[in-house]
Amino acid sequence: MSEEPQESGAVDPTPLVLLHAEGQAPMAWEDVVVSLYGSRRLLTPWVPGLRPTEKQVVPLADSAAALDQQLMLEGMQQVDLCGLSYGAMVATRLAADFPERVRRLVLIGGQVRPPRMALRVQGAALKLMPASRLAEAGVSKERLLQAMEVTRAADLTDALPQVQAPTLVLVGAKDKTSQPGARALADGIPGARLRIVDGAGHALNEVAPAALVDLLRDFLDT
């Protein structure tokens, strides 16, 4: 989904690309997009590998490369990039592998080496969930299970020192599972800042969109 917000004669700020989490569709960014509409060009693509019609989830590096190609096709030479959870991991990989493409980076609830025990518990619960319940939100149960397998094997330790973009790492105060990963991201990416969002859980785009919009504006527009 792409939005064209700029009025004639306005100076275009850097486009903002928003990457959804596993278990979400691009429409999960709706409240954020509505608030930012008119301020910059926005792109809310399917994270490569998570679209329900795709045959399988691809490794993070391949997902990042596919997204980089999509940005080039969209005419976006450089973007501000924001990702949530699995989307944050793809964003980290893209910023490391294609540093010229990313001006500023925002990572929400991301991980460096995801906690495998937590993923096993989540996977067991997901297998019991009716596929129809996820389909109502535009999410494929099969793709989601595959994404969890890719996530379980991921290790972005080598990618962090390669990230050149100024980076803001966000995590909800109630998202205890993601906080160690957020700290590892902030510690590993040169110059990265960590911000814990009071009263919020994991999916900031859904549970705290107003706070997230304020944080994005403050970080991206300064």
Side-chain angles (χ1 to χ4, degrees):
M1 182 174 76
S2 182
E3 305 290 348
E4 303 286 350
Q6 291 300 310
E7 298 178 358
S8 177
V11 177
D12 289 356
T14 305
L16 174 60
V17 179
L18 301 162
L19 301 181
H20 60 90
E22 70 282 20
Q24 291 183 338
M27 284 300 294
W29 292 103
E30 181 177 13
D31 290 340
V32 174
V33 167
V34 168
S35 295
L36 291 176
Y37 186 84
S39 64
R40 64 179 66 232
R41 186 179 180 190
L42 303 167
L43 186 70
T44 57
W46 278 100
V47 174
L50 294 187
R51 186 189 296 270
T53 54
E54 294 179 83
K55 293 183 178 180
Q56 62 182 12
V57 177
V58 296
L60 290 177
D62 292 347
S63 183
L67 181 59
D68 176 70
Q69 187 172 54
Q70 182 177 347
L71 296 180
M72 287 192 292
L73 291 174
E74 291 278 351
M76 297 181 175
Q77 296 302 311
Q78 190 176 56
V79 301
D80 291 332
L81 185 58
C82 174
L84 167 65
S85 195
Y86 187 86
M89 297 181 72
V90 174
T92 303
R93 189 78 260 177
L94 189 150
D97 293 348
F98 307 95
E100 72 285 353
R101 187 76 60 211
V102 182
R103 185 187 75 107
R104 293 200 173 189
L105 180 65
V106 181
L107 305 173
I108 307 168
Q111 299 284 349
V112 179
R113 298 178 64 186
R116 296 187 176 184
M117 180 61 71
L119 286 173
R120 280 196 290 268
V121 172
Q122 293 171 8
L126 177 59
K127 289 177 181 178
L128 299 175
M129 185 180 297
S132 58
R133 180 177 171 185
L134 291 167
E136 291 173 358
V139 176
S140 164
K141 179 177 178 178
E142 183 179 0
R143 293 294 83 71
L144 182 50
L145 285 168
Q146 290 175 348
M148 295 181 76
E149 289 298 320
V150 171
T151 302
R152 185 179 292 120
D155 185 348
L156 292 173
T157 303
D158 68 320
L160 303 189
Q162 301 175 45
V163 176
Q164 299 177 15
T167 301
L168 176 64
V169 179
L170 300 175
V171 66
K174 295 180 180 179
D175 186 11
K176 303 300 183 184
T177 300
S178 298
Q179 288 178 18
R183 292 189 176 92
L185 286 168
D187 289 342
I189 296 175
R193 294 156 43 193
L194 173 64
R195 176 73 178 269
I196 297 176
V197 183
D198 291 340
H202 182 63
L204 297 186
N205 56 350
E206 295 180 323
V207 302
L212 176 57
V213 166
D214 288 344
L215 288 164
L216 287 172
R217 283 177 171 153
D218 183 62
F219 180 64
L220 301 179
D221 296 340
T222 56

